[in-house]
Amino acid sequence: MTDTAMTTEAIKQEERQSKIRANLKARHAAEKRFRSYGLVAIGAALLALSTLFFTIISNGASALFQTEVRMTIQLDSTLDPETMRAGDYQILIKKSLRDMFPDVARRDRKDLYAVVSNGAWYELLNHVQANPDLVGQTIEIWLPAADDVDMLMKGYIDRELPESDRRVNDQQIAWIDALVANDAIEKKFNTRLFTSGDSREPELAGFAGAAVGSFYTLLVTLALSFPIGVAAAVYLEEFAPKNKWTDLIEVNINNLAAVPSIVFGLLGLALFLNWFGLPRSAPLVGGMVLTLMTLPTIIIASRASLKSVPPSIREAALGMGASRLQVVGHHVLPLALPGMLTGTIIGMAQALGETAPLLMIGMVAFIADIPGGPTDPATVMPVQIYLWADSPERAFVERTSAAIMALLAFLIAMNLSAVLLRKRFERRW
Amino acid sequence: MAAVEQVVQSEPGTGRVKMRGDNVRVYYGEKQALFDVNLDIYEREVTALIGPSGCGKSTFLRCLNRMNDVVEICRVEGSITMDGQDIYAKDVDPVHLRAQVGMVFQKPNPFPKSIYDNVAYGPRIHGLVSSKSQLDDLVEESLRKASIWEEVKDRLDAPGTGLSGGQQQRLCIARAIAVKPEVILMDEPCSALDPIATAKIEDLIHELRENYTIVIVTHSMQQAARVSQKTAFFHLGNLVEVGDTEKIFTNPEDERTQGYITGRFG
């Protein structure tokens, strides 16, 4: 009797175990499936990212080099660099070209002059003004080639196309080939890209003006949004009573973070430009508009960071007889600061990449000068990218990608510093 | 019971009432947490507050230095006096009160600063010292009184959070006594510690009793029996019974007290 009972019990036990085993198989399979979904998701993200980087780098890498022509210029001793005008330098360059190709017919000379950049005289002028003792000598100088020549040298213009469809005619190709044969034309590192302001001539255009504009804009944004954001977060988190009003404020701050940035641009246009009469196109106003946009991000991040400070620290300080302000100033704020800085950097990175609101306040203008201060007219990196992407010249395509590369480098550097900052100052309890 | 013998041996305090709770009622929003508590705390004695979880003993303790002020929904009625002065009076600054009534918490919570700065914090914010050497002396004195000086004297610049749990708690006691309070409140100071660290803290409480009035909340009845002269038993927000520790543990009047100390519930 007991034996049978025991065997039935044993059989039941065996059944239970086999049920668990069968179930276990399904559970493991589910986990495997879940992991593979995750891997696919990460793979898709990485693929998108690498495609982005590959396209941008392969498009933009060639912008790091610019075709230049070696010119021999005779600076007559009768010239006075102080009184010489643009035209005089253009004449010198044209003369040098004619000397290089003496057989060119008068009617083809315009095509010959078009080999060298329209703005090459400006570099010659700068060179002579920097070295006045060169007057009276014959100098050799590398001057930028025209953008079409540059494109041909980089292989973006197909020589096989019929002449009428080509931006460079057969004769020009012949001259260029002659220059190549003489080593008088070469691709050199494009310092202008990093040191010049914008230009209508792609070969002379650089993003230094936009980068400096971005710098001033971010400086203004940081100077305004960090103190305001931190003060607001500290007040809301540590001092404000918890009631309907603070709830309302919290909801609205979260809403503000989701408002399309163009709206902030319109607000800036109406308020800062039309009402306060601040200068148009200025990084000062750009920074103020971006402050409106960045504030919610900083406030939300700062509040989260304040919330993560353990209450035991506050209790300890209160129990010692510290006032509310001392509790915050001596203990909570120092512990929350790394998180606040991380949030701020992320907000700044957002602001750095922002275009739409700045269009509204006139930072989209063509500005060739590098701004000297936050009230000078300026543009910013993303707007510069927008302007270049809109330009018809083929040579602006690679410059657009190069500017994107520079902007991405800044963004990566900022986000990296946010991560490092968090790692460096993170405390565990 | 060895613990009780110890209590019998220890000399009594001054017999003066240091703090008095009179019909203390505490509400958290709509919920009442304490019902008409009348409790006297005698000078230079250890008063233990015991009772099951949620009985209001910690709530009462936190009323004694107005730590409940920070809890927005908390409301305290009745009166609590220290040396006859109502501590909830309008002209009493809770910041000043907390300099007189120090507190040690359940979980050791040193500031994430150096050991020295932890102890020096109170004297600094209250402006108690005028020179560096005076502060050095005060830090050493406080650490000595908290029997941790020998263990940390060579590493005063090390972070306080790097100490062991028991050391951290003694550091917190040193930090509390550095401002020379009159009363020290301890909210389950040993619940996060091992038996050896607990024994050290209990020894320390014995020494501190010579100079300070101590109120300790504890879950451990043995601990209450070992360290206190008076014991108050709380149950469901009521003060059920209070008296000499020896009497409470040997001959309680209320059957709920008896049930709790004999382990029938709690």
Side-chain angles (χ1 to χ4, degrees), chain A residues 69-325:
Chain A
V69 183
R70 189 181 63 203
M71 317 240 6
T72 314
I73 310 259
Q74 289 171 340
L75 296 167
D76 288 333
S77 51
T78 54
L79 292 174
D80 179 2
E82 294 302 319
T83 58
M84 268 173 77
R85 291 190 309 272
D88 301 330
Y89 286 101
Q90 273 166 334
I91 289 167
L92 287 178
I93 291 170
K94 285 173 183 173
K95 184 168 174 293
S96 163
L97 279 166
R98 282 199 305 275
D99 292 345
M100 271 192 268
F101 300 100
D103 316 331
V104 176
R106 183 167 282 273
R107 64 168 191 282
D108 294 330
R109 279 187 187 162
K110 204 164 159 270
D111 288 339
L112 176 64
Y113 300 154
V115 169
V116 174
S117 167
N118 247 339
W121 63 270
Y122 189 68
E123 291 195 4
L124 181 62
L125 173 146
N126 281 339
H127 185 69
V128 174
Q129 280 185 346
N131 311 287
D133 48 323
L134 290 178
V135 174
Q137 302 175 23
T138 299
I139 60 165
E140 208 165 72
I141 184 170
W142 287 89
L143 292 174
D147 55 326
D148 289 333
V149 177
D150 186 41
M151 290 298 101
L152 182 84
M153 287 292 286
K154 286 172 179 168
Y156 291 126
I157 292 178
D158 188 358
R159 288 169 183 242
E160 306 303 319
L161 280 175
E163 190 177 9
S164 56
D165 292 350
R166 218 185 308 123
R167 304 243 338 142
V168 185
N169 63 30
D170 289 343
Q171 236 179 341
Q172 284 173 319
I173 289 181
W175 295 325
I176 291 164
D177 289 342
L179 286 171
V180 171
N182 286 334
D183 290 332
I185 192 163
E186 242 174 55
K187 279 184 280 183
K188 292 191 173 265
F189 185 73
N190 190 2
T191 47
R192 293 172 199 90
L193 185 65
F194 302 98
T195 56
S196 313
D198 198 7
S199 170
R200 293 287 182 220
E201 309 295 335
E203 65 273 17
L204 300 175
F207 54 67
V212 172
S214 272
F215 171 75
Y216 284 127
T217 307
L218 282 192
L219 206 66
V220 173
T221 310
L222 182 68
L224 290 176
S225 63
F226 184 66
I228 298 176
V230 168
V234 167
Y235 180 75
L236 284 174
E237 203 54 48
E238 302 288 330
F239 294 98
K242 303 274 175 287
N243 57 26
K244 274 192 307 215
W245 294 110
T246 43
D247 285 348
L248 191 73
I249 289 172
E250 176 158 7
V251 168
N252 276 301
I253 287 172
N254 291 339
N255 280 341
L256 223 50
V259 168
S261 53
I262 189 93
V263 176
F264 290 115
L266 285 167
L267 179 68
L269 173 63
L271 199 66
F272 300 142
L273 296 188
N274 295 345
W275 185 260
F276 295 165
L278 291 171
R280 204 164 284 274
S281 307
L284 175 69
V285 181
M288 287 162 81
V289 168
L290 291 180
T291 297
L292 297 177
M293 215 199 71
T294 323
L295 259 182
T297 312
I298 294 184
I299 294 176
I300 292 168
S302 299
R303 289 189 69 178
S305 161
L306 285 167
K307 273 200 187 92
S308 73
V309 173
S312 66
I313 295 292
R314 291 187 182 84
E315 286 201 321
L318 278 176
M320 290 302 300
S323 66
R324 293 281 278 279
L325 185 63

Side-chain angles (χ1 to χ4, degrees), chain B residues 176-236:
Chain B
I177 58 185
V179 288
K180 303 213 180 338
E182 294 160 39
V183 181
I184 301 174
L185 311 177
M186 298 185 174
D187 192 353
E188 298 182 39
C190 302
S191 66
L193 306 181
D194 65 58
I196 294 168
T198 301
K200 282 191 183 154
I201 302 274
E202 287 180 6
D203 290 345
L204 179 56
I205 291 172
H206 273 296
E207 287 164 27
L208 291 175
R209 189 169 64 84
E210 288 173 21
N211 297 307
Y212 302 98
T213 306
I214 296 174
V215 186
I216 178 171
V217 164
T218 175
H219 257 120
S220 153
M221 282 170 287
Q222 289 83 352
Q223 184 171 63
R226 285 194 296 266
V227 301
S228 70
Q229 284 74 51
K230 296 275 192 304
T231 296
F233 172 65
F234 284 75
H235 187 235
L236 299 175

Side-chain angles (χ1 to χ4, degrees), chain B:
Chain B
M1 275 172 87
V4 176
E5 278 168 27
Q6 206 174 4
V7 172
V8 174
Q9 284 162 10
S10 56
E11 68 274 33
T14 58
R16 205 170 76 82
V17 174
K18 181 71 187 171
M19 297 189 87
R20 165 170 285 162
D22 212 6
N23 285 321
V24 178
R25 298 177 298 278
V26 177
Y27 302 84
Y28 289 114
E30 294 297 299
K31 191 175 166 291
Q32 189 166 3
L34 278 184
F35 299 86
D36 297 303
V37 172
N38 293 293
L39 180 60
D40 290 346
I41 289 153
Y42 290 88
E43 195 170 50
R44 295 191 188 171
E45 283 192 357
V46 177
T47 306
L49 311 182
I50 61 169
S53 296
C55 67
K57 55 193 188 303
S58 283
T59 299
F60 182 75
L61 188 79
R62 294 167 69 93
C63 287
L64 297 178
N65 69 344
R66 293 182 60 175
M67 280 298 275
N68 282 332
D69 285 19
V70 239
V71 183
E72 257 173 73
I73 54 164
C74 180
R75 195 154 45 91
V76 179
E77 290 176 1
S79 89
I80 298 174
T81 58
M82 182 163 78
D83 299 328
Q85 282 268 310
D86 183 3
I87 62 168
Y88 278 86
K90 277 215 165 65
D91 59 341
V92 172
D93 187 340
V95 167
H96 183 216
L97 174 71
R98 289 177 201 138
Q100 295 166 291
V101 184
M103 188 157 189
V104 176
F105 295 85
Q106 181 171 2
K107 191 175 155 249
N109 56 357
F111 300 128
K113 298 171 187 278
S114 74
I115 292 169
Y116 184 95
D117 286 339
N118 261 285
V119 182
Y121 184 69
R124 273 180 183 148
I125 59 168
H126 293 298
L128 296 180
V129 286
S130 49
S131 70
K132 177 82 174 76
S133 62
Q134 225 181 332
L135 186 60
D136 288 345
D137 292 345
L138 184 54
V139 168
E140 178 176 343
E141 181 195 330
S142 307
L143 287 168
R144 275 189 197 282
K145 277 191 193 159
S147 350
I148 191 177
W149 172 251
E150 290 302 323
E151 290 158 69
V152 300
K153 64 181 177 190
D154 300 324
R155 46 172 173 153
L156 291 176
D157 291 330
T161 42
L163 298 171
S164 74
Q167 288 173 326
Q168 284 190 14
Q169 196 60 299
R170 276 179 285 149
L171 176 63
C172 290
I173 292 172
R175 181 176 68 185
I177 58 185
V179 288
K180 303 213 180 338
E182 294 160 39
V183 181
I184 301 174
L185 311 177
M186 298 185 174
D187 192 353
E188 298 182 39
C190 302
S191 66
L193 306 181
D194 65 58
I196 294 168
T198 301
K200 282 191 183 154
I201 302 274
E202 287 180 6
D203 290 345
L204 179 56
I205 291 172
H206 273 296
E207 287 164 27
L208 291 175
R209 189 169 64 84
E210 288 173 21
N211 297 307
Y212 302 98
T213 306
I214 296 174
V215 186
I216 178 171
V217 164
T218 175
H219 257 120
S220 153
M221 282 170 287
Q222 289 83 352
Q223 184 171 63
R226 285 194 296 266
V227 301
S228 70
Q229 284 74 51
K230 296 275 192 304
T231 296
F233 172 65
F234 284 75
H235 187 235
L236 299 175
N238 290 294
L239 175 61
V240 174
E241 190 169 352
V242 59
D244 289 339
T245 298
E246 187 195 349
K247 183 173 171 296
I248 294 278
F249 279 93
T250 53
N251 188 20
E253 281 172 11
D254 197 285
E255 62 182 50
R256 284 171 292 177
T257 316
Q258 186 159 23
Y260 183 70
I261 60 169
T262 53
R264 258 187 279 138
F265 71 93

Side-chain angles (χ1 to χ4, degrees), chain A residues 398-428:
Chain A
E398 56 177 29
R399 278 168 178 77
T400 306
S401 293
I404 294 173
M405 276 156 64
L407 184 60
L408 283 179
F410 283 129
L411 288 175
I412 290 170
M414 286 173 84
N415 286 330
L416 203 65
S417 64
V419 171
L420 290 178
L421 212 64
R422 198 167 45 215
K423 282 250 151 63
R424 170 82 177 71
F425 291 105
E426 198 173 44
R427 274 177 207 276
R428 290 194 180 83

